[in-house]
Amino acid sequence: MYVRLPDDDRVRKHFVISYRIVPMWISNIGTSQMEDAVARQRIERWQVEFADALYDYVFKGGAINPRATVEQLDEIDRTIRRAKEQAAVLGNLKGVVDSSWLDAKGRHVAAVALGIEPDIDPATRPLTVGEFLEGHGIKGATLRSMSTRFGKRLKALYREKYGTEPGTVDRFIDGALRPVACYNESHRDLFNQAWVAMLDTR
């Protein structure tokens, strides 16, 4: 990668690596041919530490760096407490909101608490009318005026295909909590149909 480092007046080609994969990179360094004994011992010590951390993460539910600062531990504690509060809210919503929406949100909360990427089936990722329309360049006042008409057409297509009403979630709209139909990526074909139909009638 070509970058300009501090105290250098030229852009040069440098080997760079994302800090997220540094532990895995170090874990795969072969130390048998390293002549510097101090460096070899340091790398091997890190490799053992990384292996222990990965084991604790996979089999014990989490790993804490023994050298973590008070601030880092406090942030972990806040993250866990926030996740517990969110999980409690989601638990109370069972049977109230759409199950696929609840599943996606629950996986996201768990992933944040664990510091990992959410393990979510792409087909169950929530998809909103606003998000879809914005993806087609609709914004501002046009977005607000079009959302209602688009939503009605989308709901009709959903009823036609599934023979039932879509699930709902409560969202604040214009300062009031209102039930809103919820969809996910598996319904994108209905969104596309509604979009084409609206274009034909404009």
Side-chain angles (χ1 to χ4, degrees), residues 50-99:
F50 294 157
D52 289 341
L54 183 59
Y55 175 86
D56 288 345
Y57 174 83
V58 173
F59 295 104
K60 297 182 180 180
I64 299 294
N65 188 328
R67 294 181 296 280
T69 65
V70 173
E71 291 77 13
Q72 289 172 325
L73 293 174
D74 285 344
E75 179 59 29
I76 292 173
D77 182 62
R78 284 192 294 271
T79 299
I80 293 175
R81 282 191 282 109
R82 185 164 56 248
K84 286 182 177 179
E85 293 169 356
Q86 293 173 340
V89 171
L90 293 175
N92 290 330
L93 292 176
K94 287 183 178 179
V96 178
V97 300
D98 181 73
S99 59

Side-chain angles (χ1 to χ4, degrees), residues 21 44 49 71 79 87 93 103 116 135 148-149 169 172:
I21 63 173
E44 290 174 345
E49 185 174 329
E71 291 77 13
T79 299
L93 292 176
D103 178 73
I116 61 176
T148 300
R149 290 185 291 117
V169 294
F172 279 100

